[in-house]
Amino acid sequence: MKLVSFDIFRTLGFPNTTTLKPEQFLAHKELLKEADWVLFPEYWQLNALVHGLKCRVFPSIASYRIGHDKVEMTRAFQTIAPEHTPWTMIEANGPQERELIWDAMVHPFVAKLPKASMGEGVWLIETREDWHRYCERTDVLYAQEYLPLDRDARVVVVGDRVLTAYWRTQADQGFYNNVARGGRIDTSPVPSVMTDLALRLAKELEVDHAGFDIALVEGYPYVLEFNRLFGNQGLGQGCELQQAILDYLHHQTEPKDPDGPTDPTPLWPVAV
């Protein structure tokens, strides 16, 4: 395979891979057109690469577009798995909408910025002052029910399989489970009901590189979000991730027989 990467750190050691700086991609259009795969472009490159140069990109287009915005992500979850999505209200940020959400939500509740990651842009709303401070920071109001948790699971999906899953326990200051905000990794087994949900969401949404955050409440799984560019703190050996990506790309590159396997037994017409 001929590969072009725009992320030297995520593709370090990949064979037959040319690494480019994102801002220089227009100077290498022929190289990009000839590549079997273009790996880890920036979001702003996506339309030019896919629709302009007809490149095949990894992660998938769905991984980018759904994972780029929590509002779009939650709506996608609500479409295919509403029973596993925490109750969420999404409204424009206006005086009436602020009051509507404040009155409708059970307190405390969680509020999020649509485009934040690594645990940033997430508030536990307990008072009117909390709600006011959040509303002053965003154009879109995103309020979600608070789930009583002291941990959640990060389920890493690469291609069409779960690569690994681990627990993230709550930080010392409470509320946050994200490792970047002080949460800790626990490698105790993650129940299959959580990994199965992550894999189902990935397959139905055509997301092929993501770290899904799944919560378990009294044995029932809820999807919180996914990160297209997940951290590697809980992944162990990086070569396993690399091999999983390469195996998936090889499999997706293999030509498919449009007629399927040939049946050695001919079907003769039957007289009636």
Side-chain angles (χ1 to χ4, degrees), residues 166-188:
Y166 55 89
W167 293 101
R168 306 183 306 171
T169 61
Q170 200 165 82
D172 292 335
Q173 71 269 30
F175 183 55
Y176 296 101
N177 298 331
N178 195 291
V179 175
R181 299 297 300 273
R184 292 178 292 274
I185 291 172
D186 178 353
T187 57
S188 301

Side-chain angles (χ1 to χ4, degrees), residues 222-247:
Y222 291 90
V223 57
L224 303 177
E225 60 182 72
F226 74 80
N227 288 280
R228 172 176 54 86
L229 298 179
F230 46 84
N232 60 5
Q233 296 95 330
L235 294 182
Q237 297 295 323
C239 60
E240 185 180 359
L241 174 60
Q242 173 181 311
Q243 193 58 52
I245 293 173
L246 290 172
D247 288 346

Side-chain angles (χ1 to χ4, degrees), residues 40-160:
F40 298 103
E42 298 291 332
Y43 184 83
W44 58 265
Q45 295 176 274
L46 197 62
N47 285 335
L49 290 171
V50 172
H51 302 296
L53 298 179
K54 313 302 180 186
C55 297
R56 180 185 283 184
V57 299
F58 177 87
S60 65
I61 298 172
S63 300
Y64 276 89
R65 291 185 174 156
I66 299 173
H68 189 63
D69 185 296
K70 287 185 173 64
V71 171
E72 301 301 329
M73 188 186 304
T74 298
R75 286 173 175 158
F77 293 157
Q78 290 171 330
T79 300
I80 65 170
E83 71 281 9
H84 293 289
T85 308
W87 187 55
T88 307
M89 296 184 69
I90 300 169
E91 299 286 347
N93 190 349
Q96 292 182 331
E97 289 82 2
R98 292 184 184 191
E99 289 301 312
L100 172 67
I101 291 177
W102 177 258
D103 291 339
M105 297 299 295
V106 175
H107 299 192
F109 60 94
V110 175
K112 300 179 181 180
L113 295 181
K115 296 180 181 179
S117 61
M118 299 180 69
E120 300 290 340
V122 180
W123 281 265
L124 179 62
I125 306 298
E126 298 180 287
T127 66
R128 277 273 191 180
E129 289 72 23
D130 295 336
W131 182 233
H132 176 74
R133 284 194 293 269
Y134 164 76
C135 292
E136 294 302 309
R137 294 282 304 274
T138 183
D139 295 326
V140 177
L141 303 177
Y142 180 112
Q144 192 169 76
E145 69 172 304
Y146 172 73
L147 300 178
L149 305 171
D150 66 353
R151 62 180 57 207
D152 61 20
R154 167 61 59 88
V155 182
V156 176
V157 175
V158 176
D160 51 7

